[in-house]
C-alpha cells in the first residue's frame, strides 16, 4: 500500500510492504581499549512496524545471532539505536547485521575503518544540531545521560493489566536547554520569524501526541526545552505497545539535571518484551532496558507498578 503525495514529481510514501535497512552509524573506542559499534535502521514503511525475531531474518555474522538488536522496528529512520562491544584486538574484521523483511534481505557492514570513527560533532550533525566546528581551543565535555530503572528490571504482567514503569535520569547539564532554530519568511516588506523546534531523532511518529498549540508545549516534548528528556520505546516483542506518556522532560534541579520519568504501558498481546527508556540531552543518548513477560488474560485486571 502506498499513499500518493499529490505531486507528479513527489516521491511516493509507502505505508507497508517495504524492507528494513540496517545501518552502521560508526564506532567509538572505550576506556578499556575495546570498541563499540553503533547501529540504527531505516524502516522504509511509513506505517508498518515489523516484528522480526532473532534468527535467520535478524542476525549477525560472525555469530552469535543474538547481540542485543531490536526485534520491533518503528517507521522511518531511527539512529543510534544500540551498540555492540568488540574486543581491543578486533583489527580489520567486519561485523555484518542482516535483516530480511517482505522478501528483501538487507545488510549493514561494521568495521574500524577510520572514516567511521564517531565523536560528538558527528552525533550533533546527525541529531540535527548542525555541523559547526569549535570556535575555541577548549574542548567541551558532554557526558551521556544516566538512566536507571527504579525497582526491578524484570517484571510480569497479565492482560488486560497495565504496567507502570519508572526510571531515574540525570545529566551533566551539557549542552543544556536550547532555543529552537528560526526560519524567516519574507512577504513584501514584512518579515515573519517562526520558531521551528528541533525534533528528537528516533521519536516514533505514531506515538507523538497530536497538535501542540504553543512553542512551550512543543519544546516540553523533547530535550531541547529542559536539556534532558526520557523517551520510552517498544524495543522487543510482538504486537502493539503504547505509552502514556511516551516522552517526559526532566526539569533542572540546581546545576545538574536530575529527576524521574514514569509511564503507563499498554500491551496488545502476550509475549516476551523489552521496553527501553532512552535518556536524551539533545546530542547524546543512553538507554536502559526492562524485560517484561506479558501473560494471557485471566480474571484479574489490576494495575502493576515497578
Amino acid at each position: 500500500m502506498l499513499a500518493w503525495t499529490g505531486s507528479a514529481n513527489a516521491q511516493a510514501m509507502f505505508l507497508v510492504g517495504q524492507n528494513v535497512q540496517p545501518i552502521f552509524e560508526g564506532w567509538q573506542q572505550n576506556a578499556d581499549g575495546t570498541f563499540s559499534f553503533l547501529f540504527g535502521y531505516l524502516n522504509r514503511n511509513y506505517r508498518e512496524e515489523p516484528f522480526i525475531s532473532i534468527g535467520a531474518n535478524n542476525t549477525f555474522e560472525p555469530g552469535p545471532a543474538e547481540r542485543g538488536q531490536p526485534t520491533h522496528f518503528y517507521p522511518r529512520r531511527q539512529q543510534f539505536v544500540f551498540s555492540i562491544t568488540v574486543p581491543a584486538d578486533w583489527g580489520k574484521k567486519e561485523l555484518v547485521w542482516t535483516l530480511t523483511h517482505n522478501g528483501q534481505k538487507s545488510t549493514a557492514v561494521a568495521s574500524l575503518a577510520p572514516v567511521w570513527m564517531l565523536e560528538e560533532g558527528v552525533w550533533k550533525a546527525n541529531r540535527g544540531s548542525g555541523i559547526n566546528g569549535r570556535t575555541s581551543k577548549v574542548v567541551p565535555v558532554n557526558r551521556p545521560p544516566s538512566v536507571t530503572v527504579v525497582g526491578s528490571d524484570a517484571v510480569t504482567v497479565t492482560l488486560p493489566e497495565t504496567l507502570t514503569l519508572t526510571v531515574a535520569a540525570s545529566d551533566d547539564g551539557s549542552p543544556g536547554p536550547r532555543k529552537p532554530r528560526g526560519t524567516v519568511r519574507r512577504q513584501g516588506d514584512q518579515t515573519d520569524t517562526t520558531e521551528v523546534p528541533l525534533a528528537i531523532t528516533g521519536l516514533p511518529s505514531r506515538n507523538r501526541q497530536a497538535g501542540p498549540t504553543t512553542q512551550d508545549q512543543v519544546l516540553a516534548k523533547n530535550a531541547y526545552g529542559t536539556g534532558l528528556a526520557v523517551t520510552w520505546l517498544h524495543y522487543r516483542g510482538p504486537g502493539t505497545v503504547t505509552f502514556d506518556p511516551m516522552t517526559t522532560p526532566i526539569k533542572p534541579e540546581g546545576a545538574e539535571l536530575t529527576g524521574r520519568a514514569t509511564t503507563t504501558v499498554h500491551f496488545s498481546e502476550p509475549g516476551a518484551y523489552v521496553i527501553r527508556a532512552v535518556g536524551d540531552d539533545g546530542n547524546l543518548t543512553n538507554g536502559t532496558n526492562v524485560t517484561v513477560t506479558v501473560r494471557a488474560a485471566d480474571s484479574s485486571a489490576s494495575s502493576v507498578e515497578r
Side-chain angles (χ1 to χ4, degrees), residues 25 29 46 48 52 62 79 84 94 97 103 112 145-146 150 172 178 184 203 212 236 262 266 273-274:
E25 310 280 10
Q29 187 166 21
Y46 279 81
E48 184 181 358
I52 309 176
Q79 295 177 306
I84 295 173
E94 296 178 337
W97 184 22
L112 292 175
S146 171
V150 177
D172 59 4
R178 283 165 289 169
V184 178
L203 179 60
R236 284 189 171 186
T262 298
H266 302 257
Y273 292 81
V274 173

Side-chain angles (χ1 to χ4, degrees), residues 24-184:
F24 175 51
E25 310 280 10
W27 60 267
Q28 294 176 314
Q29 187 166 21
N30 303 314
D32 61 1
T34 62
F35 299 91
S36 291
F37 286 156
L38 280 79
F39 292 87
Y41 60 84
L42 169 63
N43 175 4
R44 288 193 166 90
N45 302 287
Y46 279 81
R47 179 179 296 171
E48 184 181 358
E49 299 183 17
F51 168 65
I52 309 176
S53 61
I54 305 298
N57 292 333
N58 187 353
T59 188
F60 276 90
E61 294 178 317
E66 161 68 88
R67 290 183 179 264
Q69 68 268 37
T71 65
H72 175 264
F73 295 87
Y74 285 105
R76 308 308 296 161
R77 180 72 164 99
Q78 309 297 330
Q79 295 177 306
F80 304 105
V81 176
F82 69 102
S83 66
I84 295 173
T85 301
V86 297
D89 61 354
W90 183 260
K92 296 183 179 180
K93 293 183 292 185
E94 296 178 337
L95 183 64
V96 181
W97 184 22
T98 300
L99 288 173
T100 303
H101 181 62
N102 283 326
Q104 301 179 64
K105 181 178 179 180
S106 306
T107 61
V109 180
S111 76
L112 292 175
V115 70
W116 289 110
M117 183 177 67
L118 286 172
E119 47 89 32
E120 190 176 356
V122 178
W123 279 76
K124 290 173 65 176
N126 280 277
R127 300 296 311 285
S129 297
I131 57 175
N132 295 330
R134 286 189 288 115
T135 58
S136 71
K137 294 182 180 179
V138 178
V139 179
V141 176
N142 180 17
R143 294 187 296 272
S146 171
V147 184
T148 56
V149 177
V150 177
S152 176
D153 62 0
V155 297
T156 299
V157 63
T158 301
L159 295 176
E161 293 174 349
T162 60
L163 182 66
T164 301
L165 296 176
T166 300
V167 294
S170 63
D171 189 62
D172 59 4
S174 178
R178 283 165 289 169
K179 293 182 180 180
R181 293 178 297 184
T183 60
V184 178

Side-chain angles (χ1 to χ4, degrees), residues 1-15 18-19 42-46 76:
M1 176 186 293
L2 62 84
W4 184 244
T5 59
S7 170
N9 296 321
Q11 182 179 359
M13 295 171 54
F14 288 91
L15 302 182
Q18 302 302 296
N19 71 316
L42 169 63
N43 175 4
R44 288 193 166 90
N45 302 287
Y46 279 81
R76 308 308 296 161

